Amino acid sequence: MKKKEFIAQDLLSKIYQRSALPEDQRPTKLPPERQLAEEYGASRFTIRKALEKLVDIGAVRVVQGSGIFINPGISNNPLVYNSITEKKFAEISFRMLNLHKRRPDKEEQQIFGLTAEDFIWAFTRLRAVNQHSVQIEQARMPFSLFTDLNQKVIESSIQQYVLGKGCQISHSLTHYDAVIVNKAQAELLGCKKGAPAMHILNRGILRDGRVYAFSDIIDIDYTCTYIIPFNQDNLAFRQT
C-alpha cells in the first residue's frame, strides 16, 4: 500500500475510533499538516495527498488558516469510498456501446417487479477514469420510469438523471466476486486476457422500494473501504 493510502486509511480509522467517545469529547479537527508529517514520518506533500483523498470522499474539509475539520455524520456511512466514488465527475467519462428497449426476462421481471408485457431499457457502456477504460457495465432500467433514456444520459451520471426525474434514491445492494477478464472484455478494456478483475452486481433502490437500475459490472481497477458494524448475532451463527 502506498504511503498516502496508508495515511488516509489510518486517519479514517482514527476518525471512526474517536466517534465512539462521548459527544463532548470527540475531536472536531485533525492535527495540522506539520504535526501529521512528523507523526507519520512523511513529507508534507504526501500528507497533503492523503488529506485530498479525505476531502474528496467527504470525511474532512480544509479551511485555510483554521485547520482540518472532521465532517459530522461521516461515521454513519458504512461505505467510506471506492475507486469510483472517490473520483470527481470531471475525471470520469462514459462511452455507450449499445442501447435497446425490450421485454424483460424472468429474472428481470423479479428484479423490477414487472410483467412479461412490460419493457425495460438494456444498455452497455464503458467507464473510463482519466481516459483509461476500467469498467464494462451492462445495465437495465424500467422503461415506465425512464421513458426518455438516451445516449446523452448513458454517457453521464445515471444517479443524477434519476434524481432529476424527481425520484428519491435510498440505497444500493451490491455483490462482489473476484474474476478474470475474458477475451472479449480484454479487447474492450485494453488489457490482457486473464487479468484479475472485480465482478460487481448492483441494484439501485428508491425510497419507495422500487429498483431503478440493475448493473452487471466488470472492473479491472476496483478498490473499496468499508466500515462494518460488529454483528453479535452473526458471530453466534458462525460458531454453531
Side-chain angles (χ1 to χ4, degrees):
M1 181 181 290
K2 293 180 179 179
K3 187 75 171 179
K4 67 176 181 179
E5 296 288 345
F6 170 79
I7 294 169
Q9 292 231 350
D10 194 61
L11 289 173
L12 273 174
S13 175
K14 288 178 169 56
I15 290 171
Y16 275 86
Q17 287 168 251
R18 292 164 184 168
S19 70
L21 297 172
E23 191 168 351
D24 61 348
Q25 296 179 29
R26 295 175 196 169
T28 58
K29 296 169 64 175
L30 293 180
E33 278 185 17
R34 187 187 302 274
Q35 183 178 333
L36 291 173
E38 292 175 359
E39 290 180 2
Y40 286 102
S43 68
R44 292 187 69 175
F45 176 80
T46 300
I47 294 298
R48 199 165 294 122
K49 286 296 182 182
L51 291 174
E52 285 176 5
K53 188 178 191 100
L54 298 189
V55 170
D56 288 345
I57 64 177
V60 303
R61 56 189 173 88
V62 179
V63 179
Q64 293 297 328
S66 298
I68 308 159
F69 291 86
I70 300 169
N71 286 334
I74 181 63
S75 59
N76 296 327
N77 186 0
L79 172 59
V80 180
Y81 64 89
N82 63 34
S83 50
I84 291 297
T85 59
E86 69 177 327
K87 301 297 182 183
K88 295 179 180 179
F89 286 122
E91 299 175 274
I92 302 172
S93 60
F94 298 93
R95 178 163 66 91
M96 190 184 80
L97 301 180
N98 56 61
L99 170 64
H100 305 286
K101 175 187 171 184
R102 60 170 173 80
R103 304 289 188 183
D105 62 26
K106 289 186 177 180
E107 285 190 359
E108 291 160 347
Q109 291 172 41
Q110 289 286 348
I111 291 169
F112 294 107
L114 301 175
T115 71
E117 302 304 312
D118 290 315
F119 286 96
I120 62 166
W121 290 114
F123 62 87
T124 304
R125 63 180 182 172
L126 282 178
R127 176 187 273 123
V129 175
N130 294 322
Q131 300 183 333
H132 175 64
S133 295
V134 295
Q135 275 191 4
I136 304 169
E137 179 182 6
Q138 295 179 305
R140 278 84 90 196
M141 300 177 71
F143 175 80
S144 60
L145 287 181
F146 310 108
T147 56
D148 62 348
L149 187 71
N150 55 45
Q151 182 173 353
K152 183 178 179 181
V153 170
I154 291 168
E155 294 185 343
S156 59
S157 168
I158 294 295
Q159 288 185 336
Q160 287 185 329
Y161 166 71
V162 171
L163 292 172
K165 301 291 287 184
C167 298
Q168 294 183 310
I169 298 174
S170 173
H171 58 282
S172 296
L173 177 64
T174 310
H175 174 80
Y176 304 93
D177 277 311
V179 297
I180 59 173
V181 174
N182 63 33
K183 182 179 178 181
Q185 293 164 346
E187 290 176 353
L188 286 172
L189 293 168
C191 65
K192 292 182 179 179
K193 176 186 175 182
M198 188 67 75
H199 182 208
I200 307 166
L201 298 176
N202 184 71
R203 299 187 190 203
I205 302 172
L206 301 176
R207 287 190 183 175
D208 62 11
R210 290 178 295 176
V211 174
Y212 69 85
F214 177 79
S215 296
D216 187 320
I217 299 167
I218 295 293
D219 192 316
I220 58 172
D221 189 27
Y222 188 82
T223 60
C224 64
T225 294
Y226 284 93
I227 294 295
I228 304 174
F230 175 66
N231 187 328
Q232 182 69 49
D233 292 337
N234 178 258
L235 178 63
F237 166 77
R238 294 169 66 193
Q239 290 175 325
T240 59

